[in-house]
Amino acid sequence: MTESFSALKDEFLTFTSEIIWCTVTTVDGQGRPRSRILHPIWEVIDERPVGWIFTANAGVKGAHLAANPQVAFSYWSPEQNVVLGEAATSWVDDVETKRHVWEMFTTAPPPLGYDLREFGLPGPESEGFTVLRLDPWRVQVLDAASFARGHFTPRTALLK
């Protein structure tokens, strides 16, 4: 059974901001998955989750996303809180959005937020500040409290 994202929103935002680090899986041109750990910050725009990742558009990840911009992502905590999802990705080029994302990263309390200047970036207009946007089409949450009560089915939202 699926629910609206608004029914999952609070748990989704709480778990992703507490767990912080996320496994993101891309697929190569031969259909083989490859995972890496990334650090998205999420917000809700028009009642939909949108993730922002400061990451390079290069190497294996860049090549995979150029061929197939779909990813799977997952968060897990030792408390057994879980967030899973699939998303379309896109690289952000416009300076206004990059300023917004820079502000999100530099003003969120640590460890979710951090000073991007530590990476040698002078500001959001810097050529090295590359941002990947995640637009999920499906998310799931499973909270430890429900799991402990015997509810093993994640709550799912399909986003169109």
Side-chain angles (χ1 to χ4, degrees):
M1 180 174 136
T2 61
E3 303 179 50
S4 68
F5 177 72
S6 62
L8 310 176
K9 178 171 69 173
D10 292 341
E11 288 174 311
F12 178 89
L13 293 173
T14 297
F15 295 162
T16 58
S17 65
E18 289 175 351
I19 299 168
I20 301 167
W21 293 97
C22 174
T23 302
V24 177
T25 303
T26 57
V27 176
D28 72 11
Q30 296 179 16
R32 299 174 299 194
R34 179 142 179 203
S35 298
R36 76 250 323 124
I37 304 297
L38 297 173
H39 178 187
I41 290 185
W42 293 89
E43 67 179 330
V44 177
I45 300 173
D46 297 328
E47 292 306 310
R48 298 176 59 91
V50 175
W52 306 103
I53 304 172
F54 160 56
T55 188
N57 182 4
V60 171
K61 177 180 56 219
H64 286 192
L65 293 174
N68 181 353
Q70 304 295 318
V71 298
F73 61 89
S74 63
Y75 291 82
W76 172 83
S77 74
E79 294 81 23
Q80 305 306 324
N81 294 322
V82 177
V83 174
L84 304 169
E86 288 83 37
T89 65
S90 56
W91 293 102
V92 175
D93 293 324
D94 71 281
V95 174
E96 183 178 328
T97 301
K98 289 173 83 170
R99 285 183 186 135
H100 172 69
V101 173
W102 179 278
E103 187 73 15
M104 288 179 69
F105 272 92
T106 58
T107 61
L112 181 60
Y114 55 91
D115 186 354
L116 294 164
R117 291 174 293 218
E118 293 176 10
F119 293 90
L121 300 170
E125 293 87 4
S126 169
E127 184 177 312
F129 184 57
T130 52
V131 175
L132 184 65
R133 178 180 170 139
L134 302 177
D135 288 292
W137 52 269
R138 179 179 142 317
V139 297
Q140 290 184 309
V141 296
L142 178 62
D143 69 283
S146 293
F147 191 74
R149 292 190 307 270
H151 299 274
F152 299 108
T153 305
R155 298 172 62 211
T156 304
L158 297 175
L159 304 137
K160 298 180 172 116

